[in-house]
Amino acid sequence: MAGRRAGLIWLLYGITAAVSVALVLRRPSWDRLSDLHIYHGAVRHLRSGSPLYSYVADNGGPFTYPPFAAVILWPIGALPEPVVQAGWLAATCAAVVAIAVALGGVLAVAGPRRQLVIAAVACALLVSAPVQSNLRFGQVSIFIVLLALVDGMGLTPARYRGLLVGMAAAIKLTPLLFVGYFLLARRYRDAARAGAAFVGCAVVGAAVLPGDSLTFWSGTIVNTSRIGNLASLGNQSLHGMLLRVGVDGNTLPVLWAALVVVVCGVALLRARALESAGQPAYAAVLVGCATVAASPVSWTHHQVWPVLAAMLLIGTRGVARRAAGFALLTVLVLSLGALLSQVSRTTGLQFLFENARALAAIAICLAGFGAVAVTAGRRAPARRGGLRVAAVAAVTLAFFAVQPLPAGADPTFKAYAMSDVDNPRYFFVCRTRADCAAFAAGAPIRIGTAAERTKVRVNGVVDATIARLEYQSAPGGAARVIPLLPVYPGQRAFSFRSANLSHGRLVAYDAAGTPVATYTEELAAR
């Protein structure tokens, strides 16, 4: 019976994979496997004799990985891009299965039940947002997770353990945290092999690409601005969350470094305890979650590790841990910030939902699966465990519900300029001089709003009595000056976007600095 059910789940996996791949391939060419497009273009750029880090794809993305990554990717430059895309998508789906096989051995004994668990884990992984993001963008992250997981769990032969982690770190730096884990767990030979593999791969990169290696290691490595807007909601790391909170630029590096030390320190100590208790899979996944939390940049495709943590929690005894696992999986399958934007009526709850993945990764690092408690054998009654879960959830929601949006936080805020006037998505209340005159008639300022999934756009027109507009995202926050644009003679328009208007306040001033009009969400809606 279990074997038959496993077969049906594998059939479901195949159908889901086929549909996912089809949806990726149906995307417009400029938005199809865009990161793979960068890899492919960068390698071809390099093969033509041009510097690797001077490359910028037609979608605006540069190559951001160490030179050794380009060496590994070198063969794809000789193939047509459609062939590379097909192979990459197939390899991504295969990597998901390989991760499920590695994890399935921990969650179930051998036999038909193990096959059932492996199939279920593969399906859950495939539908999660991080794996779907890997498919959509053609990302390397899923392969990095596979290499580090297999090595961290000790599935490689003893004499080679650590080599895969070193190679993964030479492609993407975050797995270097596993070296610290190996040292704390007294896996000294694994740590030495990982370090040697990392250095060796870097030397290979320097030998093949000496100029590009010098460029990367002497400056590009710390230039995170090349990666994108780190304050955007897509960056679900501790660093990204601090940026969205609005921490002062001078304070941010010190505060972030201190919190990273705490989060990683606790995670590594808990991972050592799990390793000592004979749970290397839990330990490896915990260290992986720490890389997600501590990295300056953790886009959705980086967040495969917390999905694995959810699988382990669901497979663990105890109502509380299983409930936490299902909650974590929900967070990693759905975008709560967008899904619940209409019901999260306070900015504190919206902040919780929008940063749920970052907060979840941090919580895993600090709680560490309950560390040795995972294997301790103590089992609370189901009723007591359910009440404990409900109480924690209620307290968490209540805490965030009463919090205002942090004064400096508004990750999506942007005021538009004259170069944006022709875009009807930004300037939508009127499109001609006559329309603007009619729209603005009878008031010094008229505004319109357009709500989207993760932001609200505000567009309006002012008359000659208005000299300045200022917008505060939340009480106590810095006032942002909104440009008044001379769109038509005698008429000025403005447009900006904000995370939400729940605590927002738009104030119009005359030439003497006297407030003429004030708009809040309630007033703007009338």
Side-chain angles (χ1 to χ4, degrees), residues 382-479:
R383 181 179 179 185
R384 189 188 306 170
L387 290 173
R388 191 161 58 234
V389 171
V392 170
V395 170
T396 301
L397 290 174
F399 172 78
F400 279 96
V402 300
Q403 303 301 314
L405 184 73
D410 195 346
T412 61
F413 177 84
K414 180 179 180 181
Y416 295 102
M418 280 297 294
S419 57
D420 302 308
V421 165
D422 291 332
N423 191 327
R425 190 179 177 194
Y426 307 152
F427 291 82
F428 50 84
V429 296
C430 55
R431 299 300 301 162
T432 67
R433 181 178 181 180
D435 287 344
C436 287
F439 179 78
I445 176 173
R446 293 280 191 182
I447 69 171
T449 61
E452 298 184 8
R453 293 183 67 187
T454 58
K455 63 183 72 73
V456 176
R457 299 189 185 277
V458 180
N459 177 212
V461 181
V462 301
D463 68 12
T465 63
I466 304 301
R468 188 174 84 257
L469 277 182
E470 291 184 353
Y471 177 72
Q472 284 181 298
S473 299

